[in-house]
Amino acid sequence: MRITTIIVAAAFVASAGSARAEDGPCNELREAGVIGDLRCEPADGGAVIGGGARASEYAQVFPRAFAAFAEYFAPSEQKVALVVQPEVSAELTAALAADGYKPLPWIDNETKAAMLRDNIVAQVEAQTASLPEAQRAAVVQQALAKAEGAAPAHADPEMEDGSIAHEIGHLLFNRYFDGPETESADRTARYGSSAPDWLDETAAVALENDAQTRSRYVAAREAYNADGTVLAFPLDTYLSMDHPLLQSAQALKTLERGSTGAVMLSGDEATAFLEASGGKPAAFYRQTRMFIDYLMETSGDPRILYAISQAYRDGSDLSGWLARSGGENGLPETLEALETEFEAWAKAKLADAAA
């Protein structure tokens, strides 16, 4: 019996506005009656809303993420509200948007474990309806034990913090590249900002912590050791492709769900979602991590991504930027030469680790 369960986040809403720095939106939200008795903790750059056991630790992710974005790109005026609930009510979403916040729904590890358990139990019970009760209970316990062994319900807190920083990176880059409005001028559905998806993803991956970075390299080394894979995508494909999760994220919008939030999909829904992704989201992330490190290490400039992003904002692309500025930044001047050098750099990194 195979059970597939994943958790995905819905789209976010934002608009311009202001809030008092000393308490973020907490006082206003409480006075407006849109957070009830939920805990609300101000953070540098935003706030954490919800009763999660790690709320204070989540708040510490904010200054690190905002500082990293300022180091790699530029200081951001975007404000973020991490809402530790599967869903953000329409009322809370509107109140946050009115004050310039983007809500970031988050399912903490405790809630995630409970949701996973409930979904597994529901799937197994539906698939074993014809069995006697005792046998059904035994199958449920086996399925729960197998799921726990494959993916422990209580994930590494460091990995969770890195994932939060990743999502904050998306929101900050969206604001930097497109301004405070989230829709592109042509209203085209996109994975993130109107920048190419590889560039959009660099801001998120660049903000990840050491635990996440190690996991990206572990995955890259496993692929290299398995079949010699260095780059999962040729550079021209990587630079022009849609994010591997774009199609499935668009499909998710057609599902009947509640307000802004995160959604757990199970069984056939989860399988269909992953199939719609077109294949290799994990490979896309690890190649992005290596590309970031190659660009920064080779150029010696931690803000090299900002320079490249500015070129895209001005209507150019990486090929044009390399022709104008690659040499002075210690990088090749053509995409072909860049791919050759990047692949050699990545292979050396992976081979050294495997030795």
Side-chain angles (χ1 to χ4, degrees):
M1 179 182 301
R2 184 182 178 206
I3 297 176
T4 303
T5 304
I6 58 174
I7 297 176
V8 291
F12 308 121
V13 180
S15 66
S18 62
R20 293 198 300 273
E22 66 270 18
D23 62 9
C26 294
N27 285 350
E28 293 91 336
L29 294 174
R30 201 167 298 286
E31 291 170 2
V34 294
I35 59 174
D37 60 356
L38 290 177
R39 177 178 178 179
C40 185
E41 181 165 342
D44 291 346
V48 178
I49 301 169
R54 300 189 66 236
S56 295
E57 295 171 59
Y58 294 156
Q60 297 305 310
V61 176
F62 280 69
R64 294 195 295 268
F66 275 75
F69 190 82
E71 178 182 0
Y72 300 139
F73 292 92
S76 179
E77 297 179 354
Q78 182 60 61
K79 296 175 289 187
V80 178
L82 184 76
V83 183
V84 191
Q85 287 191 319
E87 288 192 7
V88 184
S89 70
E91 294 78 13
L92 178 53
T93 296
L96 289 169
D99 211 9
Y101 282 79
K102 284 191 175 183
L104 175 55
W106 193 255
I107 302 177
D108 64 7
N109 289 335
E110 183 178 352
T111 304
K112 189 183 299 183
M115 293 174 70
L116 177 61
R117 179 183 177 86
D118 290 346
N119 276 270
I120 290 174
V121 170
Q123 289 182 65
V124 173
E125 289 184 344
Q127 295 172 27
T128 60
S130 62
L131 295 179
E133 185 62 32
Q135 291 185 30
R136 294 179 71 194
V139 174
V140 166
Q141 292 305 312
Q142 291 174 1
L144 290 172
K146 184 176 181 180
E148 173 67 17
H154 299 287
D156 182 349
E158 284 191 81
M159 293 291 287
E160 184 182 22
D161 290 351
S163 296
I164 292 172
H166 177 113
E167 298 304 330
I168 290 175
H170 276 303
L171 302 184
L172 302 189
F173 188 80
N174 289 356
R175 173 65 179 265
Y176 153 72
F177 202 85
D178 290 335
E181 300 301 325
T182 58
E183 290 185 321
S184 58
D186 60 4
R187 295 186 178 272
T188 302
R190 302 181 187 278
Y191 182 82
S193 74
S194 58
D197 286 356
W198 77 268
L199 186 56
D200 198 68
E201 201 61 45
T202 61
V205 174
L207 266 60
E208 293 176 349
N209 59 12
D210 290 344
Q212 285 278 13
T213 297
R214 286 193 298 270
S215 75
R216 303 295 186 204
Y217 274 97
V218 166
R221 286 158 188 154
E222 288 175 349
Y224 178 75
N225 291 337
D227 58 15
T229 295
V230 178
L231 303 182
F233 308 99
L235 190 60
D236 59 346
T237 299
Y238 172 75
L239 296 174
S240 61
M241 67 187 288
D242 287 336
H243 192 291
L245 290 178
L246 174 63
Q247 291 183 9
S248 49
Q250 291 172 334
L252 179 64
K253 294 181 180 180
T254 68
L255 299 174
E256 293 296 328
R257 301 292 179 191
S259 302
T260 302
V263 179
M264 176 170 276
L265 303 180
S266 300
D268 293 340
E269 277 189 327
T271 300
F273 183 92
L274 292 174
E275 288 177 351
S277 74
K280 300 179 177 179
F284 187 76
Y285 291 130
R286 69 176 186 252
Q287 183 157 327
T288 298
R289 178 72 261 175
M290 289 193 293
F291 199 38
I292 291 168
D293 293 342
Y294 160 73
L295 290 171
M296 290 186 181
E297 181 179 308
T298 304
S299 69
D301 182 2
R303 300 186 77 225
I304 195 71
L305 296 176
Y306 176 74
I308 294 170
S309 299
Q310 284 290 98
Y312 275 92
R313 286 187 68 186
D314 293 340
S316 186
D317 57 16
L318 184 57
S319 178
W321 182 84
L322 287 171
R324 293 189 305 274
S325 306
E328 66 189 53
N329 284 281
L331 294 165
E333 297 181 355
T334 67
L335 286 179
E336 293 78 6
L338 183 72
E339 178 170 40
T340 298
E341 186 174 299
F342 172 39
E343 185 169 16
W345 177 93
K347 184 174 183 179
K349 288 279 187 182
L350 301 180
D352 286 346

